[in-house]
Amino acid sequence: MSHGLNTPQREAVHYLDGPLLVLAGAGSGKTRVITQKIAWMIEGCGYPSNKITAITFTNKAAKEMKERADSLLKDGKADGLSVSTFHSLGARFLRQEARHLGLKPGFSILDASDTTGLFQELLSHADKAQVRMVQNRISLWKNALLGPEQALAAAADEFERNAAATYGEYEKTLRAYQAVDFDDLIRLPVNLLESNEEVLARWQSRIWHLLVDEYQDTNRCQYRLMRLLAGPKAAFTAVGDDDQSIYAWRGADIGNIHLLQEDFPRLRVIKLEQNYRSTTRILQAANAVIANNPKIFEKKLWSDHGHGDAVHVQFCRDDGHEAEWVASRLLAHKFQHRGKWADYAVLYRGNHQARAIEQQFRQNKVPYVISGGQSFFEKAEIKDITSYLRLIANPDDDPAFIRAITTPKRGVGGATLEALGRHAGNRHVSLFQAAVEVGIEQHLNEKQLKGVREFCAFIVRMEGRAGREPARAVIEDLLKAISYESWLFESLDTREAEGKWANVRDFTEWLSKKGDEENKNLLELTQTVALISMLDKNDQDQDAVQLATLHASKGLEFRHVFLVGVEEGILPHRDSLEPGKLEEERRLMYVGITRARMSLHVSYCRKRKTGREWRECEPSRFIEEMGEDLKRVGGEESAPTQEEKAAGRARFAQFKALLDKSTS
């Protein structure tokens, strides 16, 4: 079962005698270790598959891990295996334990746009930036397991005191809606497990071994959930890389690696240092940079992929010149090596740096995709329309009810929804059900009741038609009835409204066509719409250059990488120059370097345009930290190396010989 593994990988797979931390360097085969360990426990040790839980951070990673486990374990032996994100596990927990938390099993999970809407209602006099700051502060408090009262006690200034007061109001609103937000999916299970021994014992008995991927990205709340689920036996395998911890801004806590040592004195640490991705010269540059950070565990990547080309460092006049250089260098390199476009990536610290590159790529007909772009189904206008479709298919879908009844605005506001939510919570029914029940008249005034009842009657009429009539006719009538096009043009500037309306037309035309071709009515289509991502670009399948931020590039790899804008003030970012933040910026540089397999090009500019102003730039300190084995091009500092001088002399001698021959 552990064939093809190196010695430390094999140790990590077979170790089951207690808590284990696997420090897996970039490109060291960590996913392979996790999936082989799952297979070893089931086939080699007789663990039932339903007693193993693996947790990772993205649905994509969870899907890939489950597929790899399935391919290792034939005949359905992996069928009961649980592989999910932290948040999916939390949602499953809350569905099963809802009654202990005063929630109905059909509680709603509000996404980022739903919660932003709530905060905008609560902070009606604040601008978007202030709303976002309060929302982020409350999210960080939730991730640190602080409730509204604890947040108020810990508030350091006036902003935090006001945010803590908003936190209390926000929590009341969520409870009234019988809803939870993304952070609650971890926080509420932790609170319940810590306060209810019966629930704790039940969940601990279900998990014989817990595997956690990307452990360095866990926040304090996720760490606490992991520790509670692993139980007194501490049967867990945490796999991560402290050198790739780059998400402190969203709550990830590198201190969780220290905590493992403190909380589990029997912790075994295994290091995976053999890199299966990059050449030696790329790894030497990565090791040299990260050596400047203080370490809990020393780790040095090595590879047997050969010495490789020197890291190319390019000095550019300005960002326009940098973009031209990237495009021309990439085109020449691709022509020379007969590679694919998808072999190349351009990585940068901030999204704004992509503009000049995109412009050059379009001019030179270089196909590209931007990683981390918004999914089509995540666009606000598409979510607005799908909220109606979801509600027609399932009137108990509370987030869909809230979004549909308030978009476009029809005079139903926060006070009406709060009263309706409180009544629905007391009755343990959905908002829709509460609105049509006898007795709601005591909780809403005549005007409020009229608006809510008219909306519910409209949904009931549409539901009746959706089961009988062709999808195309029902969708067209729905859009007319809610006056969505008019509302867009009344509430937005013309250009933005036109773009959003075009997206709605694309979506509804695609849905109608699907109904015509598959002979499905709107109810049947709506039940599958959440599973369909046909309109999303599948970046992995396109032969195109990948443009991505360093944060979005983590977990990816490319044959050839261009790392642009490596300047003081950009990387490291100007707001991140104090020691703790500077260490994270250095880890970001390390992540960028270790994305490259065969070649790495790093560039910086003498000056860069910010708005209308030009500012002078300095090369990032991280370039010097990469060591001396660099091929520097452009600028005064790029004196040719001895090798280059020798090669130049040889070329001149050849050229002279040809001249001599032709003139003799």
Side-chain angles (χ1 to χ4, degrees):
M1 184 53 65
S2 54
H3 53 275
L5 298 174
N6 64 36
T7 303
Q9 287 176 330
R10 199 174 300 110
E11 278 179 52
V13 165
H14 292 161
Y15 187 76
L16 293 169
D17 295 334
L20 172 65
L21 171 63
V22 180
L23 281 173
S28 64
K30 69 181 176 67
T31 308
R32 190 174 189 203
V33 165
I34 295 170
T35 50
Q36 292 267 17
K37 184 156 192 167
I38 290 167
W40 164 252
M41 285 189 284
I42 293 170
E43 290 226 307
C45 307
Y47 280 52
S49 59
N50 64 351
K51 297 289 187 183
I52 299 170
T53 295
I55 306 176
T56 187
F57 272 80
T58 65
N59 288 317
K60 182 176 174 238
K63 182 170 176 277
E64 283 174 6
M65 199 176 285
K66 183 74 168 73
E67 284 169 356
R68 281 168 79 164
D70 284 339
S71 69
L72 286 171
L73 292 155
K74 304 296 180 196
D75 307 322
K77 286 182 184 172
D79 284 356
L81 175 68
S82 168
V83 184
S84 70
T85 63
F86 268 105
H87 292 93
S88 299
L89 178 66
R92 193 166 83 239
F93 178 99
L94 291 181
R95 296 267 180 233
Q96 292 177 25
E97 309 295 347
R99 65 189 176 86
H100 293 291
L101 292 155
L103 292 167
K104 54 179 183 173
F107 69 87
S108 304
I109 300 167
L110 301 190
D111 66 14
S113 58
D114 294 326
T115 54
T116 299
L118 283 189
F119 278 108
Q120 284 167 343
E121 292 266 347
L122 292 168
L123 300 162
S124 52
H125 302 301
D127 62 31
K128 279 183 180 174
Q130 289 170 312
V131 169
R132 196 160 51 245
M133 280 169 67
V134 171
Q135 197 171 352
N136 289 344
R137 181 64 266 181
I138 291 170
S139 176
L140 289 172
W141 275 329
K142 285 193 170 195
N143 288 332
L145 290 165
L146 297 178
E149 288 174 13
Q150 294 160 302
L152 187 57
D157 52 32
E158 190 64 20
F159 165 73
E160 291 198 346
R161 282 189 287 278
N162 290 334
T166 305
Y167 185 5
E169 289 302 306
Y170 173 62
E171 283 298 285
K172 281 184 202 164
T173 308
L174 285 179
R175 294 294 84 81
Y177 288 176
Q178 282 287 296
V180 299
D181 65 18
F182 210 53
D183 298 318
D184 288 333
L185 295 176
I186 315 293
R187 184 178 72 103
L188 294 177
V190 168
N191 288 344
L192 183 57
L193 288 166
E194 290 188 336
S195 62
N196 188 313
E197 288 183 13
E198 179 206 329
V199 173
L200 179 65
R202 180 162 62 246
W203 279 83
Q204 286 178 347
S205 70
R206 289 177 185 174
I207 299 174
W208 289 12
H209 199 90
L210 183 66
L211 301 106
V212 180
D213 188 18
E214 302 288 8
Y215 175 74
Q216 78 283 343
D217 293 338
T218 54
N219 59 39
R220 200 51 58 94
C221 196
Q222 288 160 337
Y223 172 69
R224 205 102 136 238
L225 180 63
M226 176 190 123
R227 201 179 70 191
L228 286 160
L229 292 176
K233 295 197 299 280
F236 69 79
T237 300
V239 183
D241 183 4
D242 49 339
D243 291 333
Q244 294 188 74
S245 180
I246 58 172
Y247 293 114
W249 50 276
R250 69 178 190 203
D253 191 343
I254 196 170
N256 287 349
I257 288 181
H258 294 267
L259 273 182
L260 276 184
Q261 281 195 305
E262 288 172 24
D263 293 346
F264 301 98
R266 290 172 47 233
L267 182 73
R268 172 85 180 272
V269 179
I270 295 173
K271 299 176 194 176
L272 305 183
E273 295 171 293
Q274 182 175 359
N275 173 287
Y276 292 94
R277 177 186 299 161
S278 308
T279 62
T280 296
R281 274 169 137 170
I282 290 168
L283 294 182
Q284 281 172 345
N287 286 333
V289 167
I290 208 65
N292 291 276
N293 271 2
K295 282 283 197 299
I296 313 163
F297 303 102
E298 283 301 328
K299 179 168 93 280
K300 208 161 192 179
L301 295 181
W302 62 275
S303 158
D304 55 12
H305 279 352
H307 203 49
D309 296 336
V311 173
H312 180 117
V313 178
Q314 180 72 31
F315 169 86
C316 301
R317 292 187 306 276
D318 53 44
D319 39 354
H321 176 219
E322 181 179 52
E324 285 172 27
W325 171 76
V326 169
S328 62
R329 176 79 188 188
L330 192 152
L331 283 162
H333 194 280
K334 181 180 181 292
F335 179 76
Q336 187 183 348
H337 292 85
R338 299 285 186 267
K340 296 187 299 184
W341 296 113
D343 291 340
Y344 296 85
V346 182
L347 309 180
Y348 36 79
R349 176 66 176 83
N351 278 309
H352 64 279
Q353 292 169 263
R355 286 182 207 132
I357 308 279
E358 283 191 79
Q359 202 172 3
Q360 280 295 324
F361 279 6
R362 284 197 295 269
Q363 278 179 23
N364 288 283
K365 297 186 171 50
V366 175
Y368 67 90
V369 289
I370 295 189
S371 184
Q374 191 184 36
S375 148
F376 188 83
F377 282 103
E378 285 300 307
K379 290 181 185 295
E381 59 273 24
I382 304 305
K383 293 185 80 167
D384 289 343
I385 304 307
T386 53
S387 69
Y388 281 88
L389 304 184
R390 279 163 49 190
L391 196 57
I392 289 165
N394 173 18
D396 289 332
D397 187 335
D398 284 359
F401 181 95
I402 294 164
R403 189 170 190 127
I405 203 170
T406 56
T407 314
K409 299 226 176 296
R410 50 170 57 78
V412 176
T416 306
L417 286 173
E418 194 172 340
L420 183 61
R422 201 177 303 113
H423 181 62
N426 291 336
R427 297 271 304 118
H428 300 292
V429 295
S430 69
L431 294 170
F432 191 100
Q433 185 65 39
V436 297
E437 276 186 351
V438 175
I440 188 64
E441 300 86 354
Q442 295 164 33
H443 303 276
L444 299 180
N445 65 39
E446 197 176 327
K447 187 185 173 195
Q448 289 173 322
L449 188 61
K450 184 172 183 285
V452 170
R453 286 265 167 95
E454 280 177 0
F455 173 74
C456 291
F458 167 66
I459 294 297
V460 169
R461 286 198 304 277
M462 281 292 167
E463 185 188 357
R465 291 184 58 191
R468 299 190 310 269
E469 300 177 27
R472 187 179 293 278
V474 183
I475 292 170
E476 289 302 322
D477 288 352
L478 171 71
L479 288 176
K480 280 182 200 151
I482 66 173
S483 304
Y484 192 78
E485 183 182 10
S486 308
W487 177 73
L488 282 178
F489 281 89
E490 283 161 18
S491 53
L492 301 169
D493 65 58
T494 305
R495 192 172 170 187
E496 192 178 356
E498 283 171 349
K500 286 180 179 287
W501 182 242
N503 286 336
V504 169
R505 294 309 310 173
D506 283 350
F507 171 64
T508 53
E509 177 54 35
W510 166 77
L511 204 56
S512 300
K513 193 176 174 190
K514 195 170 176 58
D516 295 342
E517 288 171 355
E518 298 180 16
N519 196 26
K520 283 186 175 175
N521 64 39
L522 194 57
L523 289 182
E524 292 166 322
L525 288 173
T526 301
Q527 284 156 359
T528 57
V529 80
L531 306 173
I532 300 165
S533 55
M534 216 172 71
L535 294 173
D536 289 347
K537 287 192 180 90
N538 188 344
D539 297 349
Q540 304 306 312
D541 295 340
Q542 292 187 41
D543 186 20
V545 178
Q546 183 87 50
L547 269 57
T549 63
L550 287 164
H551 283 102
S553 75
K554 190 163 154 293
L556 305 177
E557 60 178 74
F558 307 92
R559 289 177 73 84
H560 311 290
V561 168
F562 289 81
L563 185 46
V564 301
V566 186
E567 296 146 27
E568 289 292 309
I570 294 181
L571 183 65
H573 193 273
R574 63 180 179 277
D575 297 335
S576 303
L577 298 179
E578 69 239 35
K581 289 184 176 177
L582 184 61
E583 287 165 21
E584 177 144 333
E585 293 291 299
R586 189 173 280 114
R587 292 195 289 271
L588 209 46
M589 179 73 178
Y590 174 83
V591 165
I593 295 170
T594 54
R595 298 313 91 198
R597 289 167 55 195
M598 308 296 290
S599 74
L600 174 65
H601 297 79
V602 174
S603 60
Y604 65 94
C605 301
R606 176 186 288 139
K607 59 180 183 174
R608 189 173 286 274
K609 203 165 192 180
T610 309
R612 294 182 179 182
E613 301 293 316
W614 284 98
R615 62 177 179 80
E616 294 296 313
C617 304
E618 287 178 43
S620 168
R621 67 194 74 189
F622 300 149
I623 292 177
E624 285 308 313
E625 291 177 2
M626 289 165 78
E628 293 180 8
D629 185 18
L630 306 174
K631 181 182 179 184
R632 294 175 181 267
V633 180
E636 304 85 24
E637 62 197 355
S638 58
T641 62
Q642 292 303 318
E643 274 178 69
E644 288 167 331
K645 284 179 183 172
R649 282 196 296 270
R651 279 197 300 274
F652 182 73
Q654 276 182 316
F655 183 62
K656 193 169 180 299
L658 280 169
L659 271 178
D660 291 342
K661 199 172 175 184
S662 63
T663 54
S664 59

